[in-house]
Amino acid sequence: MKMKAAVLYQPGKPLVVEEVELDDPGENEVMVKLVGTGVCHTDLGVQEKGLVMPMVLGHEGAGIVYEAGPGVTTSKPGDHVVLTGAASCGRCPTCRKGPPVMCEVYRPFYFNGYLPGKHIRLHSLKGQPIHHFFMQSSFAEYAVVPADCAVKVRDDAPLDTVGVLGCGVKTGLGAVINKLRPEVGSCIAVFGCGGVGMSSIMGARLCGAGKIIAVDVLESKLKAAVEFGATHLINSKKEDAVARIRRITGGGADYSVMAVGSVDVIPPAFDCLRFGGTCVVVGAPPDGGKASVDLLSLIREKKLAGSSMGSGVSSLDIPAWVDLFMQGRLPLDRLVSRRYPLAEINTAFKALAGGKVIKPLIVFE
């Protein structure tokens, strides 16, 4: 079918919104008519540096199943779904032993430009292959994805909003709920108040954390963090974040989240912990990036851990979190700063890159 999509032809250049061809879904694939999709910092990074060109980005989509390919048993036309790259096959050794988010079947296809089986379903009108992103490519009116990447959710949830659970929100929420699992009344510091960091703050509040400390360099983001549950705010440009956290907590945080894509933030996020505390890194540092921490702290039971895509099982987490949103306990709608039509996607990219919005949404008619 012919449809509109935003295509990245050259790194560092604006996306080109144009008509492309989308093939029918193959075996164990579904075609989804997109209702909305979030714009994530991961999209920004690829737009700036490139992967395999040309490519349609986007990996936080949600919509309605339009067509199911042969062998699909998990969804049918008309189902409301959230799309996620963090699918698990349930059969490979990593899925069986854990963590399933590192599935050996799907993980290799996050960034290589193909769907599993090395298929390409996107083409220009002249027949040129257009590569996929995160097995999704949701900056388009329709997407063909592996059936396991389409997580069925309740029909009454607003799809344009809950689509953010596909990546960024899932990453921040899951890092706290699935990985750290903070005790009621515990102290947690979150470094970075973008979409992932705000989601970590929401997760900390859901878990009943007593002190939730937001750390950022932008006053606007710190002010917004209060709406999501932050109890204390620190502008790390104006004061020593580690010293302030130790004063607030009486010795150090029980947990910390590093939600910034910079290795420079890892040392303070680790140093602010009490003995026995845990820091989880979710902000994606550059490939090959290195950070120094005090190794003696490891002997003192401090832990440095990582979390990818929420460290959980998407087919279980996403429907549960949609329920929490519908109950008014997870304010995803407040996270969405502004909605843009596909034609204005480059404006949305600039707003996110400039820190003017927390989570921009692309919406479709």
Side-chain angles (χ1 to χ4, degrees):
M1 70 156 61
K2 290 182 181 179
M3 65 168 187
K4 288 283 183 69
V7 185
L8 177 64
Y9 283 100
Q10 296 182 55
K13 300 294 184 180
L15 306 181
V16 179
V17 179
E18 62 183 11
E19 272 201 340
V20 302
E21 289 276 1
L22 180 65
D23 296 341
D24 293 338
E27 188 170 1
N28 294 318
E29 295 175 345
V30 296
M31 180 185 290
V32 175
K33 178 178 172 59
L34 274 299
V35 172
T37 182
V39 181
C40 176
H41 278 280
T42 304
D43 297 307
L44 285 182
V46 177
Q47 188 260 343
E48 292 168 358
K49 299 178 182 178
L51 280 173
V52 282
M53 302 288 107
M55 172 176 276
V56 174
L57 301 176
H59 61 293
E60 291 185 348
I64 300 170
V65 175
Y66 183 79
E67 183 180 349
V72 174
T73 60
T74 53
S75 58
K76 63 185 185 302
D79 283 349
H80 289 210
V81 294
V82 169
L83 304 182
T84 179
S88 57
C89 72
R91 300 178 300 276
C92 71
T94 303
C95 282
R96 293 198 304 268
K97 297 177 183 178
V101 74
M102 302 301 290
C103 173
E104 296 169 27
V105 171
Y106 293 124
R107 189 83 186 187
F109 292 93
Y110 280 15
F111 302 113
N112 73 355
Y114 297 91
L115 297 179
K118 215 166 184 183
H119 299 301
I120 287 183
R121 306 298 185 201
L122 287 163
H123 306 274
S124 72
L125 295 185
K126 295 181 179 180
Q128 178 188 16
I130 299 175
H131 291 90
H132 298 267
F133 182 58
F134 253 84
M135 301 179 289
Q136 186 175 146
S137 294
S138 57
F139 292 159
E141 293 175 320
Y142 292 81
V144 167
V145 304
D148 287 334
C149 295
V151 179
K152 190 177 184 303
V153 296
R154 54 197 284 179
D155 290 350
D156 59 341
L159 283 169
D160 59 335
T161 300
V162 299
V164 298
L165 288 167
C167 179
V169 175
K170 183 182 191 304
T171 296
L173 271 178
V176 175
I177 295 172
N178 295 326
K179 191 76 173 185
L180 292 179
R181 301 182 178 182
E183 302 83 4
V184 172
S186 56
C187 305
I188 183 168
V190 177
F191 287 73
C193 294
V196 173
M198 293 298 194
S199 301
S200 295
I201 290 170
M202 288 192 286
R205 182 168 66 175
L206 276 173
C207 290
K211 292 185 176 70
I212 304 172
I213 306 165
V215 183
D216 205 284
V217 297
L218 295 177
E219 290 292 340
S220 59
K221 289 189 175 182
L222 290 171
K223 182 179 178 181
V226 176
E227 296 181 37
F228 298 98
T231 60
H232 297 76
L233 310 176
I234 299 175
N235 188 321
S236 56
K237 262 191 175 181
K238 298 180 179 179
E239 59 182 320
D240 183 330
V242 174
R244 175 80 187 285
I245 290 169
R246 287 176 177 164
R247 290 197 300 272
I248 292 170
T249 60
D254 300 302
Y255 304 97
S256 66
V257 178
M258 199 290 278
V260 183
S262 169
V263 296
D264 296 336
V265 181
I266 293 177
F270 184 71
D271 291 344
C272 77
L273 297 171
R274 64 167 178 81
F275 293 164
T278 301
C279 169
V280 63
V281 176
V282 296
D287 190 26
K290 294 177 173 59
S292 297
V293 297
D294 180 6
L295 294 181
L296 186 60
S297 293
L298 302 179
I299 307 300
R300 292 166 176 163
E301 297 286 340
K302 289 172 67 171
K303 294 172 281 293
L304 182 63
S307 175
S308 177
M309 298 291 287
S311 298
V313 180
S314 296
S315 59
L316 300 177
D317 289 342
I318 291 175
W321 294 342
V322 169
D323 285 344
L324 290 176
F325 165 64
M326 296 299 288
Q327 294 165 11
R329 298 165 62 190
L330 190 63
L332 301 178
D333 49 339
R334 293 188 210 163
L335 196 65
V336 176
S337 307
R338 186 175 169 186
R339 289 166 167 79
Y340 300 82
L342 183 63
E344 296 179 16
I345 191 167
N346 291 303
T347 302
F349 267 53
K350 289 178 182 177
L352 182 62
K356 296 178 180 179
V357 295
I358 298 172
K359 175 61 68 175
L361 275 186
I362 305 300
V363 293
F364 303 88
E365 293 181 2

